[in-house]
Amino acid sequence: MSAFWRAYFGAFCASLVLFGAVLCAGAFAPTSGPVSLLIKTLSGGNAANFEPALRFSLGLMGALTIGWAVMIYGVMRVAFTLGPQGRPLWDAITAGLISWYVIDGICSIATGFALNIIPNTALAAMYLVGLTQSGALKR
């Protein structure tokens, strides 16, 4: 895989880490501005109610998102090294991404945050463009 595509996937994982950091910041009142704006936008204008349970959930989701990104990056690095033999790793990452996309989309719609599907689709598309254009799936 070319250096460009390795950097592309690095940027993909970095964007996940950044999003996780925004979520984690919502756990604390002084740094919750960005996630407050995000919640308001994705809910169609409803302000976030920062009760302790929401702050806990934001911190937890942020930590999981950062951990997910770090794990994906590590698996990708091994897949880069393995070349064509890394296909099972790409399949595993793709299965995880599809699982997240479907479950998150259902939950987003069910809870009144259907607009969340837009950034989710952009993230999934970013991954799929890299996967299909980088040659990662070539045997």
Side-chain angles (χ1 to χ4, degrees), residues 74-118:
V75 172
M76 284 179 173
R77 288 185 58 199
V78 174
F80 298 153
T81 301
L82 292 175
Q85 289 77 27
R87 175 74 185 256
L89 298 174
W90 290 110
D91 291 346
I93 294 167
T94 303
L97 187 97
I98 291 169
S99 299
W100 157 77
Y101 184 84
V102 170
I103 295 166
D104 193 277
I106 291 168
C107 291
S108 294
I109 292 167
T111 59
F113 290 84
L115 289 176
N116 189 47
I117 293 171
I118 295 169

Side-chain angles (χ1 to χ4, degrees), residues 15-127:
S15 71
L16 287 174
V17 169
L18 179 61
F19 180 65
V22 168
L23 292 174
C24 282
F28 307 97
T31 56
S32 61
V35 80
S36 179
L37 178 61
L38 178 67
I39 290 170
K40 189 172 183 176
T41 302
L42 295 179
S43 71
N46 299 318
N49 185 3
F50 283 98
E51 295 180 0
L54 178 58
R55 292 204 185 278
F56 167 74
S57 296
L58 288 167
L60 184 65
M61 287 186 300
L64 286 168
T65 302
I66 292 168
W68 186 44
V70 170
M71 184 271 309
I72 289 172
Y73 183 70
V75 172
M76 284 179 173
R77 288 185 58 199
V78 174
F80 298 153
T81 301
L82 292 175
Q85 289 77 27
R87 175 74 185 256
L89 298 174
W90 290 110
D91 291 346
I93 294 167
T94 303
L97 187 97
I98 291 169
S99 299
W100 157 77
Y101 184 84
V102 170
I103 295 166
D104 193 277
I106 291 168
C107 291
S108 294
I109 292 167
T111 59
F113 290 84
L115 289 176
N116 189 47
I117 293 171
I118 295 169
N120 287 0
T121 300
L123 184 69
M126 182 182 180
Y127 171 75

